[in-house]
Amino acid sequence: MKTVDINSPEFQQEFLKTEKFAHKTVEQFGWAFHPDEEIVERVLKGLTNNKVLYGKRFCPCFPVEEKDGKYVSSDNRICPCPQAIKDEIPNEGVCHCGIFCTPEYAANYQKEHPKKHAEEVEGLSVAELEEILQKEQILGHELELLLKAREKGLLNFKLIDIREPFEHQMMRIKGTDKLLPISRVQYDLDEWMKLKDERIIIYCHVGSRSGYLQRALEAQLGFDKVGNLTYGIADYPGEIERG
């Protein structure tokens, strides 16, 4: 399976093209870039990665599959996707991946999205922590608390990054135990099966790919202890590692 080196000349050249494409898209629709520059950079690199690998700027928040000799994305998510143009940005102010938004959304982002802190739920008992760990959908501030509890030996679980290697290299949640990209599930099946009897939490950029994989693991492989970081690393308020 082909992989992409984000430091290669090929990737860097395509990244510049993707940046120009994104700026033209913003101008065309009268949108704005998300005020969080890290979100913008991650999505731009995801779009570039898909362009290099698959020949199209598929949305990096959704899995890409090969069908009948062609690469396709869930719900035809090719940037700028119809869902963002017709529904997400007009109604929610921001696209699913977070790169594009309305100027009003950008201006009010800090006020409308107060940061969540794990301190809001400090002092929970082990039983209450276990209850959070058993949830299928876990919020960013909840994961931060679970990781703190794990450091103290109160809980046991594995945190799995299912994004692509270049995304993991850019940034990852401190405490991540493994990188098992969703694009390589069929190749890493043995590694996944070793985790079947353990409690695991999986995450991606904004929760779409990990949600898709969560359902697949449960339906196709019989997993029953998988938690999904609902809004992905983009919503995680805790410590991030880079490089």
Side-chain angles (χ1 to χ4, degrees), residues 9-156:
E10 178 188 15
F11 187 93
Q12 295 300 323
Q13 291 172 8
E14 192 59 50
F15 182 78
L16 293 176
K17 294 178 182 178
T18 299
E19 279 189 315
K20 292 180 181 178
F21 158 81
H23 281 281
K24 287 182 179 179
T25 300
V26 165
E27 293 175 5
Q28 177 184 353
F29 291 99
W31 295 340
F33 285 109
H34 196 288
D36 188 328
E37 294 180 358
E38 287 191 345
I39 289 177
V40 174
E41 182 182 10
R42 288 199 299 270
V43 176
L44 286 175
K45 288 189 174 180
L47 291 169
T48 302
N49 181 73
N50 285 342
K51 185 67 164 66
V52 173
L53 280 179
Y54 309 120
K56 295 182 180 180
R57 292 188 179 96
F58 290 113
C59 172
C61 298
F62 292 83
V64 177
E65 301 175 325
E66 187 175 1
K67 292 184 179 179
D68 300 324
K70 296 181 180 180
Y71 291 112
V72 295
S73 172
S74 300
D75 299 328
N76 192 33
R77 292 271 185 169
I78 300 175
C79 189
C81 65
Q83 293 87 342
I85 297 170
K86 298 178 181 179
D87 178 36
E88 294 165 357
I89 294 180
N91 294 323
E92 301 173 25
V94 63
C95 70
H96 183 85
C97 278
I99 184 173
F100 300 128
C101 61
T102 64
E104 294 78 14
Y105 179 97
N108 295 317
Y109 176 77
Q110 296 296 334
K111 180 177 67 176
E112 295 178 355
H113 293 77
K115 188 176 181 181
K116 297 176 181 177
H117 296 282
E119 285 72 22
E120 295 173 356
V121 289
E122 289 284 1
L124 294 179
S125 67
V126 174
E128 290 170 320
L129 292 167
E130 285 283 0
E131 186 175 342
I132 294 174
L133 183 58
Q134 301 304 316
K135 293 169 59 177
E136 289 194 353
Q137 299 298 323
I138 296 172
L139 299 176
H141 69 285
E142 292 176 328
L143 176 60
E144 184 181 16
L145 185 62
L146 293 177
L147 286 170
K148 287 182 178 180
R150 189 177 72 169
E151 287 181 7
K152 297 178 180 179
L154 301 176
L155 298 176
N156 185 28

Side-chain angles (χ1 to χ4, degrees), residues 42 115-116 118 139-148 151 159 171-175 203-205 229 231-241:
R42 288 199 299 270
K115 188 176 181 181
K116 297 176 181 177
L139 299 176
H141 69 285
E142 292 176 328
L143 176 60
E144 184 181 16
L145 185 62
L146 293 177
L147 286 170
K148 287 182 178 180
E151 287 181 7
L159 180 61
M171 62 185 305
R172 59 198 171 276
I173 295 172
K174 184 177 181 180
Y203 72 90
C204 63
H205 174 49
L229 185 58
Y231 301 114
I233 192 173
D235 184 57
Y236 182 69
E239 192 169 352
I240 296 294
E241 294 181 324

